[in-house]
Amino acid sequence: MKIILVFLFIAPLALSARAEKDYSSFDSAPSPETKSRFAMLDDVRILANGLLQLGHGLKDFVHKTKGQMNDIFQKLYIFDRSFYELSLQTSEIKEEEEQLRQTTARLQINNEEIKNLSQEMNSKIEDLIQNKIQLQEKVWGLEDKVTKLAIIQPSMQETKDISSLKAFVEQQDNHIKQLLKIVEDQHVQLDRQHNQIMELEDKLNHIELQDLAEDSFTGEQTEPEATPFPVRNATAVTYKSDGAAPDCTALYNSGMRSSGVYTIKPNGSEAFDVYCEMKFGSSWTVIQNRVDGSLDFNQTWDAYTNGFGDLNEEFWLGLNKTYAITKQGDYILRIELQDWKENKRYIEYAFSLGGPKTDYTLQLSRISGSIPNALPEQTELRFSTADRHVDIINDFNCPENYLGGWWHSECEETNLNGKYVAPRSRGRLDRRKGLYWKPKKGRYYLLKSTKIMIHPTDLKSFD
């Protein structure tokens, strides 16, 4: 716009200068005033040329600025499109999470209804069983009467009564059988619903990206007779038994009632010290205890064979000693776990432990527990350490990567002899380097305390 105004200003000057030039052609002797006008016209032309160059410069600057603005708009467009796509993905994740929550809620409601129905049916079955017992007593009484009247021809009415009672009893039996079948179906459905709820909870945990340190046992049923995990006890007493007790249970039966370190002598073995924990009306022999990470469990094969640590604090009893105890008979293996929110769980196995020739092969069969199983069952698990790994899956050295000796199987996540790691406030811990309990289908349980104990299988019910 400024260029146009300058042009409009210069144009009249140029026309007047041209007219004066034409007029001066008729005058052979131009006056001083004419020369002055020519000088002004030259100045105007110089100014016009300068303004023209300035216009070209401004034009180039405008083109360059337009190109830069086009680049900026292009980048803004790409950013807007990426942000829109992320918004769509976030909306889809939120919708899926909400659907999972709703499904979980429905399943929990159905599960509760089925439980109530099962309780009602169990009550009805008990009533029917009582009725059946009463009817059987009546039938037995009638049979006695029939026996007494065997030599006497029964009357038609008595025969009808007996037949009627027998038919009624058979009908009640069939009804009870049908109810039992319904109850079995309901139990199967309850188990299926429970598994679905657990899978949905695992999906929700994955979507919400919860920190491993926040994973705990909260929300599950608590152990009926949970006992505190032992803390360091500098004043613990070592008891020397007069007899040659084969394990802690024998010491308990002989009158010992205090938890602590005792000397035992299994059949065919040298005497050695163990920690006996008195609980559930008996005594358990502790073979592993971890409470605070004060002891490094990344030990050699010889250390795991002979044992290491302090029996009053953290320790590993030793494979040789454990084998000497368990080869005396059948034993139960009990694992007690505690997470970082002070929640406690346990699991028990019937087990067999091989000797040194089999690398202390372990075979497990789950009996009971309050946490999902995380160890392979009915499988021979060979013990291995970083300096003696007997099984390498896909060139992956399990003991070396898990930092502790254990009965490894396909390098699973669960290793109660792994590195002791406390949870961080944010972020996830490096897997395979913490103390975990990892079921095959389920989340990681980051552990604070672990304890492994054994007891003969003749233990009475204590759960």
Side-chain angles (χ1 to χ4, degrees), residues 314-350:
E314 293 196 333
F315 67 91
W316 173 261
L317 181 60
L319 295 168
N320 268 338
K321 297 174 184 176
T322 304
Y323 174 66
I325 299 172
T326 57
K327 72 179 181 180
Q328 300 178 114
D330 295 330
Y331 277 74
I332 296 172
L333 180 73
R334 179 182 176 92
I335 300 175
E336 295 186 348
L337 308 173
Q338 182 184 31
D339 67 11
W340 287 89
K341 292 185 177 180
E342 309 304 326
N343 299 300
K344 302 178 181 69
R345 290 292 177 271
Y346 79 98
I347 190 167
E348 291 175 358
Y349 299 95

Side-chain angles (χ1 to χ4, degrees), residues 322-392:
T322 304
Y323 174 66
I325 299 172
T326 57
K327 72 179 181 180
Q328 300 178 114
D330 295 330
Y331 277 74
I332 296 172
L333 180 73
R334 179 182 176 92
I335 300 175
E336 295 186 348
L337 308 173
Q338 182 184 31
D339 67 11
W340 287 89
K341 292 185 177 180
E342 309 304 326
N343 299 300
K344 302 178 181 69
R345 290 292 177 271
Y346 79 98
I347 190 167
E348 291 175 358
Y349 299 95
F351 79 103
S352 63
L353 181 67
K357 293 182 179 180
T358 65
D359 295 317
Y360 302 98
T361 299
L362 179 69
Q363 282 189 299
L364 299 171
S365 178
R366 186 179 187 273
I367 299 175
S368 63
S370 58
I371 190 173
N373 184 28
L375 298 175
E377 296 186 63
Q378 308 299 337
T379 303
E380 291 188 352
L381 307 176
R382 292 178 178 270
F383 198 88
S384 57
T385 59
D387 62 329
R388 182 172 175 176
H389 45 276
V390 295
D391 291 326
I392 299 180

Side-chain angles (χ1 to χ4, degrees), residues 3 50-64:
I3 296 173
L51 292 173
L52 184 61
Q53 291 177 359
L54 178 61
H56 286 302
L58 290 173
K59 182 178 180 181
D60 293 339
F61 176 75
V62 169
H63 283 301
K64 184 176 180 181

Side-chain angles (χ1 to χ4, degrees), residues 122-134:
N122 287 333
S123 178
K124 292 181 180 178
I125 289 173
E126 291 179 357
D127 294 339
L128 290 172
I129 291 174
Q130 293 295 328
N131 293 334
K132 179 182 177 181
I133 293 173
Q134 294 175 1

